[in-house]
Amino acid sequence: MPTPSMEDYLERIYKLIDEKGYARVSDIAEGLEVHPSSVTKMIQKLDKDEYLIYEKYRGLVLTTKGKKVGKRLVDRHKLLEEFLAMIGVQEQNIYRDVEGIEHHLSWDSITCIESLVEFFRRDPSRIQALNEIHQELYSES
């Protein structure tokens, strides 16, 4: 099981490969706001744990295990962004909030949130009702 830090790297690497077709140390460092030397150390650890294959000066590729975990992490992130938007969290807070909670939720909680999001999607009037309750509660204070 990857650590929260490993998850951040795998998620970033997966997204870079999906968007650009490759992931360079410099791109990973820039996206995570860390030093390239930290990226290299983590890549070596991810290689050792068989999430990716890294060859110095040649780049990296995700293994099947790494792709599966990376996709799951990207999907979790998107789900939590959608959920927070759906329940009325202000847009400027969503990304930071997701970054703050995504590693602290169990996969059981993620599955339950996914069910709740689907519940709201199936009947948009439910979101409207939630928004009305939100308005009532916060217009009184």
Side-chain angles (χ1 to χ4, degrees):
M1 195 67 173
T3 65
S5 181
M6 291 167 76
E7 286 184 347
D8 285 339
Y9 279 85
L10 285 168
E11 182 179 354
R12 185 74 194 134
I13 291 166
Y14 182 89
K15 285 175 74 174
L16 282 167
I17 291 172
D18 188 50
E19 292 166 5
K20 297 172 121 181
Y22 60 89
R24 297 183 314 202
V25 168
S26 59
D27 295 328
I28 299 164
E30 182 181 323
L32 295 175
E33 299 177 349
V34 297
H35 292 286
S37 60
S38 299
V39 174
T40 301
K41 286 178 190 171
M42 181 58 80
I43 285 174
Q44 290 167 344
K45 180 164 180 38
L46 293 168
D47 183 19
K48 181 178 166 280
D49 291 350
E50 301 179 347
Y51 290 103
L52 55 82
I53 298 167
Y54 174 64
E55 291 181 35
K56 198 170 184 176
Y57 308 116
R58 295 191 46 101
L60 61 92
V61 292
L62 289 170
T63 61
T64 301
K65 174 182 173 182
K67 287 177 189 173
K68 182 179 177 185
V69 172
K71 180 174 182 351
R72 190 173 184 200
L73 296 171
V74 167
D75 290 348
R76 173 184 71 184
H77 192 100
K78 288 178 186 173
L79 171 71
L80 292 173
E81 283 184 343
E82 181 179 4
F83 172 67
L84 293 181
M86 201 174 262
I87 63 171
V89 174
Q90 294 177 8
E91 189 174 336
Q92 69 266 22
N93 296 325
I94 291 175
Y95 182 82
R96 188 185 71 239
D97 288 353
V98 169
E99 287 297 311
I101 65 173
E102 67 184 339
H103 301 296
H104 302 286
L105 293 171
S106 67
W107 286 102
D108 179 45
S109 293
I110 296 297
T111 300
C112 291
I113 290 170
E114 189 172 29
S115 297
L116 184 58
V117 166
E118 184 59 27
F119 174 78
F120 284 130
R121 266 194 211 126
R122 289 184 183 187
D123 185 351
S125 70
R126 295 170 179 155
I127 296 171
Q128 186 176 347
L130 177 65
N131 288 335
E132 289 169 6
I133 291 169
H134 185 79
Q135 291 271 314
E136 286 176 28
L137 291 174
Y138 293 99
S139 65
E140 294 172 2
S141 44

